[in-house]
Amino acid sequence: MSNTITVLYFAAARERVGLPREPLELPPGARVADVLRLLATRHPTLAPLLPHLRVAVNQEFSDAEAEIPAGAELALIPPVAGGSGGLFRVVDRPLRLEEVVEAVSGEAYGGLVTFSGSVRNQTRGRRVLRLEYEAYPPMAEKKLAEIGAEVAGKFNGTRLAIVHRVGTLTPGELAVVIAAAAPHRKEAFLGCEHAIERLKQDVPIWKKEFFEDGEVWVGLGP
């Protein structure tokens, strides 16, 4: 009996395929590696990109030998652009630093550190006209919450909140706001720094930079 799954494409992968999602019929016992081979055959333009992608099955990263469960949602994850406050959101609207500060503040937390990431007007000497951020929202918010749990565990109960924006942003606009609160300043600083680095590694949010002379998905090169 065959197994029909849904394949999700994001960012550069979506552009190569020309679709955001499609059904794929698999034989019983098919693994992630089998899916990648099928997709390379079905979409030749996607094949050169596959070595650069990670695969998530039902919103969890999987290795090549993992078996695909029936009816699964399999997402192709390009390199990403780069606790417990309870606020971990991906939104399509302007950001306010106050919203993450309010989510983690409390009388028991004497140290509060924030980070605001805004769009630069140039990259390596090229003038940036705009950025387009794209996300896999359910998985992105789940991974943000996991980072929050990591921060709470590593840094003495530090509370974290992260809100990331998607859509079209111009230079000067905020792309991400983060707040970390802890009883003492050291843990708050460390928690905020840890969150920024982890955000760049595993959260499925991508950005495409648009210049006067071209465009590029960050992390994949020209």
Side-chain angles (χ1 to χ4, degrees), residues 7 15 41 55 83 101 112 118 121 124 128 158 167 191 207 211 217:
V7 181
E15 289 184 345
T41 300
V55 175
V101 171
L112 176 65
S118 61
N121 64 1
R124 291 186 288 276
V128 174
T158 296
K207 68 179 178 182
F211 308 100
W217 285 104

Side-chain angles (χ1 to χ4, degrees), residues 12-26:
R14 186 196 67 254
E15 289 184 345
R16 297 286 181 98
V17 173
L19 296 168
R21 64 173 61 215
E22 67 175 335
L24 186 66
E25 198 167 290
L26 302 177

Side-chain angles (χ1 to χ4, degrees), residues 76-194:
L76 297 185
I77 307 292
V80 300
S84 296
L87 182 65
F88 302 99
R89 297 285 183 268
V90 175
V91 300
D92 183 11
R93 58 166 172 77
L95 302 183
R96 295 170 45 253
L97 184 62
E98 292 83 356
E99 62 187 311
V100 288
V101 171
E102 291 166 2
V104 300
S105 296
E107 293 182 357
Y109 298 88
L112 176 65
V113 173
T114 66
F115 172 79
S116 300
S118 61
V119 177
R120 297 190 303 270
N121 64 1
Q122 63 85 31
T123 298
R124 291 186 288 276
R126 302 171 75 186
R127 188 163 77 89
V128 174
L129 302 179
R130 69 184 189 278
L131 298 185
E132 290 185 2
Y133 280 91
E134 179 179 321
Y136 179 13
M139 184 176 176
E141 292 184 349
K142 181 177 180 180
K143 293 298 177 186
L144 290 175
E146 289 177 5
I147 293 171
E150 285 179 20
V151 165
K154 288 173 68 73
F155 305 110
N156 193 30
T158 296
R159 301 176 68 184
L160 190 71
I162 306 173
V163 181
H164 203 297
R165 187 176 172 185
V166 293
T168 301
L169 283 74
T170 55
E173 290 191 284
L174 291 175
V176 62
V177 287
I178 302 173
H184 304 286
R185 66 181 184 274
K186 180 178 180 180
E187 288 81 6
F189 276 108
L190 292 173
C192 189
E193 182 180 34
H194 181 82

